[in-house]
Amino acid sequence: MTEHKAPEQCQSKDDVRAEIDRIDHALLRLFAERHRYVTRMAQIKTDPHEARDLARIEAVIAKVRDRSLALDLDEDQAELVWRTLIDWNINYEKGIIAARRRTQ
């Protein structure tokens, strides 16, 4: 396994692309792990309306914005990514809950 390079150590586009690919792979592993928890949450919830918890959504977004600033990342971009992820998760949860209710 090769060690990763810091951005300033990258000397070529290929170096940068290799690091971005490495990070993308790590992100996918994390998204897959997160997805397993979302699936479990959908199994626990009993009503499709539970999938959209506005107070929880805004609490998550507030944390994302704060953490983004601490990481010197644009908080508006981070919020957009998380709102997209949350919306996808809500629709996914609703589908699982609704399907389970139809078979009960």
Side-chain angles (χ1 to χ4, degrees):
M1 183 173 161
T2 61
E3 288 194 32
H4 72 275
K5 294 180 180 180
E8 59 276 2
Q9 294 172 317
C10 293
Q11 300 299 312
S12 68
K13 290 186 284 187
D14 286 341
D15 286 348
V16 173
R17 288 176 179 144
E19 294 306 313
I20 289 172
D21 287 348
R22 177 188 58 78
I23 293 166
D24 286 350
H25 188 237
L27 285 170
L28 283 171
R29 284 194 309 270
L30 290 170
F31 280 132
E33 179 181 359
R34 189 182 194 283
H35 180 71
R36 290 189 292 275
Y37 285 100
V38 170
T39 298
R40 181 62 184 138
M41 184 63 82
Q43 294 166 345
I44 293 169
K45 292 178 180 178
T46 58
D47 187 297
H49 297 293
E50 288 180 86
R52 184 177 300 279
D53 180 343
L54 294 177
R56 170 68 179 153
I57 292 167
E58 293 312 313
V60 168
I61 294 300
K63 282 186 220 174
V64 164
R65 291 184 68 85
D66 287 345
R67 290 172 179 164
S68 297
L69 287 171
L71 295 168
D72 198 28
L73 178 66
D74 183 277
E75 68 274 19
D76 293 334
Q77 279 187 333
E79 179 177 345
L80 178 61
V81 169
W82 254 260
R83 285 198 185 274
T84 300
L85 180 61
I86 289 167
D87 286 345
W88 183 86
N89 289 158
I90 289 167
N91 289 329
Y92 176 76
E93 283 185 18
K94 282 182 177 181
I96 288 177
I97 298 164
R100 186 178 63 240
R101 289 181 75 183
R102 283 192 298 272
T103 62
Q104 292 177 345

